[in-house]
């Protein structure tokens, strides 16, 4: 759960940064990019673009992943869900530090667990199931968080031990345009469906996905 904890912290920082961000100044012109510098000589190694392209091609495709951007995307959904739950706990006069587990039941509806009285839990579940933004945020997280967890672990192992994960490279498209988090999550889910039953037990599924959140954190 260390990745989830770091994402929750990132979502809090993102929320605070958005609140503190100053309004943009009207009429401000974007800085013009500096003109490219001409090579000093034919042997100037700053301009051996073809050689650099060859090096980039030889690197694993997973090195092109924008992990910081992916974590920020997941953090935004986490921040929204935490804020919604915080308001619901306040609305029903519950302890703001209550731990709430959010999951889906067999029918695909939002289900809550944690220290919430039975009758109140039913009311909050009804409110959340009637909230399209909340349901969509949870659906995105149920796909993107397991995918992000898999990629984060694979990249950490690669950095620490030089271990290349072939499954990770199969998720990454040669066209960077198709390496958005939702694209990767879709391919990860498809890959998980096609592997053998024994291997599948090692991967998290959307149906079993659950989040344990403290709305006050």
């Amino acid at each position: 759960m260390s990745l989830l904890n770091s994402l929750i912290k990132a979502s809090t920082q993102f929320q605070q940064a958005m609140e503190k961000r100053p309004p943009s100044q009207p009429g401000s012109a974007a800085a013009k990019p500096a003109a490219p510098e001409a090579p000093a000589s034919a042997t100037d190694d700053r301009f051996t673009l073809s050689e650099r392209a060859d090096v980039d091609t030889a690197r694993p495709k997973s090195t092109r992943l924008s992990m910081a951007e992916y974590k920020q995307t997941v953090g935004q959904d986490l921040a929204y869900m935490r804020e919604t739950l915080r308001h619901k706990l306040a609305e029903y006069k519950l302890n703001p530090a209550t731990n709430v587990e959010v999951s889906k039941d067999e029918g695909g509806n939002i289900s809550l667990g944690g220290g919430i009285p039975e009758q109140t839990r039913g009311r909050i579940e009804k409110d959340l199931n009637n909230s399209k933004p909340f349901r969509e945020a949870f659906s995105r997280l149920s796909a993107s968080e397991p995918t992000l967890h898999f990629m984060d672990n694979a990249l950490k192992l690669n950095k620490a031990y030089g271990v290349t994960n072939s499954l990770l490279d199969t998720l990454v498209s040669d066209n960077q345009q198709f390496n958005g988090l939702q694209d990767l999550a879709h391919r990860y889910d498809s890959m998980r469906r096609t592997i053998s039953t024994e291997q599948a037990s090692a991967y998290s599924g959307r149906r079993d996905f659950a989040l344990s959140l403290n709305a006050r954190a």
Side-chain angles (χ1 to χ4, degrees):
M1 297 297 290
S2 59
L3 174 61
L4 180 57
N5 290 335
S6 66
L7 289 172
I8 291 175
K9 291 180 182 178
S11 71
T12 302
Q13 294 172 354
F14 172 80
Q15 193 171 3
Q16 293 173 346
M18 291 298 292
E19 293 173 354
K20 296 179 181 179
R21 187 175 64 178
S24 57
Q25 296 296 327
S28 59
K32 294 182 179 180
E37 182 182 354
S41 69
T43 59
D44 192 338
D45 61 1
R46 289 173 297 172
F47 298 90
T48 53
L49 300 182
S50 59
E51 293 180 9
R52 291 180 183 178
D54 291 339
V55 172
D56 288 340
T57 303
R59 294 168 61 191
K61 292 188 293 182
S62 56
T63 59
R64 308 173 198 171
L65 297 175
S66 304
M67 293 300 292
E69 181 180 337
Y70 300 153
K71 290 180 180 180
Q72 183 182 46
T73 300
V74 171
Q76 291 177 34
D77 280 331
L78 279 170
Y80 170 75
M81 290 182 64
R82 287 176 60 246
E83 184 67 11
T84 302
L85 290 171
R86 185 176 69 82
H87 283 295
K88 284 299 169 186
L89 291 176
E91 179 182 344
Y92 289 95
K93 297 179 174 56
L94 296 173
N95 188 335
T98 301
N99 284 319
V100 182
E101 184 179 89
V102 186
S103 60
K104 282 191 176 182
D105 60 21
E106 292 295 328
N109 296 313
I110 297 293
S111 177
L112 299 181
I116 303 176
E118 184 70 26
Q119 186 175 7
T120 304
R121 181 168 67 247
R123 293 176 180 174
I124 297 178
E125 286 177 345
K126 182 178 180 180
D127 293 343
L128 296 178
N129 279 298
N130 287 331
S131 171
K132 184 178 179 181
F134 189 90
R135 287 187 286 107
E136 289 179 343
F138 183 80
S139 293
R140 285 192 299 269
L141 280 173
S142 67
S144 58
E145 200 279 336
T147 305
L148 187 61
H149 183 75
F150 166 72
M151 294 191 300
D152 193 55
N153 282 344
L155 290 174
K156 284 178 179 177
L157 287 173
N158 177 264
K159 184 176 180 181
Y161 305 107
V163 178
T164 301
N165 191 310
S166 58
L167 291 179
L168 177 58
D169 271 348
T170 63
L171 296 180
V172 185
S173 171
D174 291 323
N175 189 336
Q176 190 63 18
Q177 182 180 355
F178 301 113
N179 285 330
L181 183 55
Q182 293 304 309
D183 297 320
L184 294 166
H186 176 73
R187 291 196 286 271
Y188 176 75
D189 193 54
S190 298
M191 178 191 71
R192 191 179 52 78
R193 293 172 186 273
T194 57
I195 59 179
S196 68
T197 304
E198 291 182 0
Q199 290 175 305
S201 61
Y203 297 93
S204 299
R206 297 189 190 191
R207 189 171 186 175
D208 301 325
F209 180 76
L211 282 173
S212 182
L213 298 174
N214 186 320
R216 196 178 190 178

